[in-house]
C-alpha cells in the first residue's frame, strides 16, 4: 500500500556519457528532507526489489535516490545489454556522476547526503570511497552505509582460483561475452515468498559479462587484500551483515572493517545474528527492524533546524513501531560490543 506521506518519482537519468538509466526517487511529502541517501544496488538486482526500505526511510524524512545500474534492471534496453556494466573505472564514474548530481541539490539546501550500497553495490561504494581521483567528492558525503558488502563471496559460493584465472583471461579476449551466474535464492533470504519472487522476476536474468564479472571479483579482491585505503574525508561508516549470509562472507567483511577503518572517526559494525544476505528482504518481521536501524543511524548524524522538527517527530513514531525478531550485536568506534534484542 502506498504511503500518502511519501512521494515517488520515476525518471530516465543520463549518465556522464549520456547513457540512459532508470532512476527512482522516494521523498517526504510537504516537508523538507532531513537527509538524502544515494543507494547502489547489488548484482543481478534492481531498485524495485528493496521492499519497504526506501518508503520507510522517506516517511522519516530521508529522501532516497536509486537507479538500476548500467547493465541491470530497467536500464537494459535489449538482451545484448544484460550485465554489460563496463570495466570498474566506468562503474565508479557512473556512481560519481549520480552522487555529483544529488550533491548539487543537497548542498543548495544544506541537506546532508549519505551513500549506501548492498552486496556488489557495497563493494562499489567502498571502491568509490577509496579512489584518490574522487577524494574531493567523497569528503562531501556525510556518511557511508554498507549492507552485506561483497568483500569476499561466502565460502560455498567462491569460485576456484583456476576458474577465476581462466575467466580473467577469457574476459580480456571477449569482454562482452555473456555468462549465466545465478545466485541460489535460499542463500539470499529466509522468506519463501521472496525466494519465489527471485525466480519469477523477469528483470533478474542472472547474466553478467566476462568483463563485468572480472571487475566484480577484482574489486572484492582489492578490498580483502588491503589494496584499497579509504580517502581521508570519510567521516562516518556503518557496516551491517548477517551471520548466515550465503552470498557474501560475513567474516571477510568484519575483518575488512577491523583492518581498514582505524582512521574513520565515527564507525559502527552491526551483526545480525542468523540473518541472510538480503537484510532488507530477509523475513517479513525483520524487514522493519533493518529499515529502522538504517534510518536511526542516518538521523543520528543529522542536525535538523527547528523548522523541520515535524519529520523528526514522525521518525520517532516510526522507530517505535518496529518489532524485533533477532538479537543484533553492535561494535562501535570505541571497540565495545553490545547485544540488544530489538523489541
Amino acid at each position: 500500500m502506498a504511503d500518502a506521506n511519501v512521494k515517488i518519482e520515476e525518471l530516465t537519468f543520463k549518465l556522464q556519457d549520456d547513457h540512459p538509466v532508470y532512476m527512482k526517487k522516494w521523498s517526504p511529502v510537504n516537508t523538507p528532507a532531513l537527509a538524502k541517501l544515494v543507494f547502489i544496488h547489488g548484482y543481478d538486482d534492481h531498485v524495485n526489489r528493496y521492499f519497504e526500505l526506501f518508503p520507510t526511510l522517506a516517511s522519516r524524512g530521508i529522501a532516497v535516490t536509486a537507479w538500476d545500474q548500467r547493465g541491470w534492471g530497467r536500464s537494459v534496453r535489449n538482451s545484448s545489454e544484460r550485465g554489460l556494466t563496463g570495466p570498474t573505472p566506468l562503474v565508479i564514474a557512473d556512481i560519481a556522476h549520480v552522487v555529483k548530481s544529488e550533491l548539487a541539490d543537497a548542498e543548495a539546501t544544506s541537506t546532508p547526503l549519505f551513500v549506501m550500497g548492498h552486496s556488489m553495490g557495497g563493494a562499489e561504494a567502498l571502491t568509490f570511497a577509496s579512489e584518490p581521483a574522487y577524494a574531493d567528492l567523497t569528503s562531501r558525503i556525510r556518511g557511508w552505509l554498507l549492507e552485506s558488502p561483497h568483500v569476499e563471496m561466502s565460502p560455498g559460493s567462491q569460485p576456484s582460483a583456476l576458474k577465476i584465472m581462466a575467466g580473467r583471461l577469457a574476459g580480456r579476449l571477449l569482454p562482452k561475452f555473456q555468462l549465466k551466474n545465478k545466485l541460489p535464492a535460499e542463500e539470499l533470504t529466509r522468506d519463501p515468498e521472496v525466494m519465489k519472487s527471485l525466480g519469477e522476476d523477469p528483470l533478474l536474468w542472472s547474466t553478467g559479462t566476462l568483463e563485468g564479472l572480472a571487475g566484480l571479483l577484482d574489486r572484492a579482491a582489492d578490498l580483502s587484500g588491503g589494496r584499497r585505503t579509504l580517502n581521508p574525508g570519510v567521516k562516518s561508516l556503518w557496516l551491517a551483515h548477517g551471520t548466515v549470509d550465503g552470498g557474501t562472507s560475513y567474516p571477510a567483511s568484519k575483518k575488512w572493517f577491523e583492518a581498514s577503518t582505524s582512521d574513520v572517526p565515527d564507525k559502527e559494525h552491526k551483526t545480525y545474528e542468523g540473518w541472510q544476505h538480503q537484510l532488507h528482504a530477509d523475513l517479513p518481521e525483520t524487514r522493519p527492524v533493518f529499515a529502522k536501524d538504517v534510518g536511526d543511524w542516518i538521523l543520528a548524524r543529522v542536525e535538523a533546524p527547528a523548522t523541520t522538527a515535524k519529520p523528526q517527530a514522525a521518525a520517532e513514531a516510526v522507530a517505535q513501531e518496529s518489532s524485533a525478531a533477532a538479537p543484533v550485536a553492535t561494535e562501535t568506534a570505541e571497540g565495545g560490543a553490545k547485544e540488544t534484542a530489538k523489541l
Side-chain angles (χ1 to χ4, degrees), residues 114 126 142-146 230 234-240 253-271 297 300-301 329-338:
F114 296 76
L126 287 175
R142 178 62 185 86
W144 304 77
L145 301 93
L146 311 166
L230 293 171
V234 174
K235 299 176 280 291
S236 300
L237 185 143
W238 185 79
L239 192 156
S253 75
K254 193 169 195 308
K255 181 180 177 182
W256 175 88
F257 179 86
E258 292 168 347
S260 304
T261 62
S262 58
D263 292 332
V264 179
D266 171 30
K267 60 194 176 222
E268 180 179 341
H269 183 281
K270 186 174 283 287
T271 295
W297 191 86
R301 284 148 188 82
T330 302
E331 184 175 321
T332 64
E334 288 73 31
K338 60 183 178 181

Side-chain angles (χ1 to χ4, degrees), residues 126-159:
L126 287 175
T127 302
F128 172 46
S130 305
E131 177 53 56
Y134 297 115
D136 289 345
L137 182 60
T138 56
S139 68
R140 293 155 61 190
I141 294 168
R142 178 62 185 86
W144 304 77
L145 301 93
L146 311 166
E147 176 192 353
S148 313
H150 177 215
V151 176
E152 280 183 15
M153 296 181 76
S154 64
S157 304
Q158 184 74 24

Side-chain angles (χ1 to χ4, degrees), residues 109-187:
T109 55
S110 300
T111 306
L113 184 135
F114 296 76
V115 172
M116 180 175 182
H118 170 242
S119 192
M120 176 189 78
E124 290 170 353
L126 287 175
T127 302
F128 172 46
S130 305
E131 177 53 56
Y134 297 115
D136 289 345
L137 182 60
T138 56
S139 68
R140 293 155 61 190
I141 294 168
R142 178 62 185 86
W144 304 77
L145 301 93
L146 311 166
E147 176 192 353
S148 313
H150 177 215
V151 176
E152 280 183 15
M153 296 181 76
S154 64
S157 304
Q158 184 74 24
S160 67
L162 183 61
K163 188 174 182 179
I164 292 173
M165 185 184 302
R168 285 185 177 133
L169 178 60
R172 293 190 187 100
L173 300 174
L174 298 166
K176 296 182 181 180
F177 182 82
Q178 292 172 318
L179 186 70
K180 284 279 186 180
N181 187 44
K182 188 171 180 60
L183 301 175
E186 64 273 13
E187 296 182 357

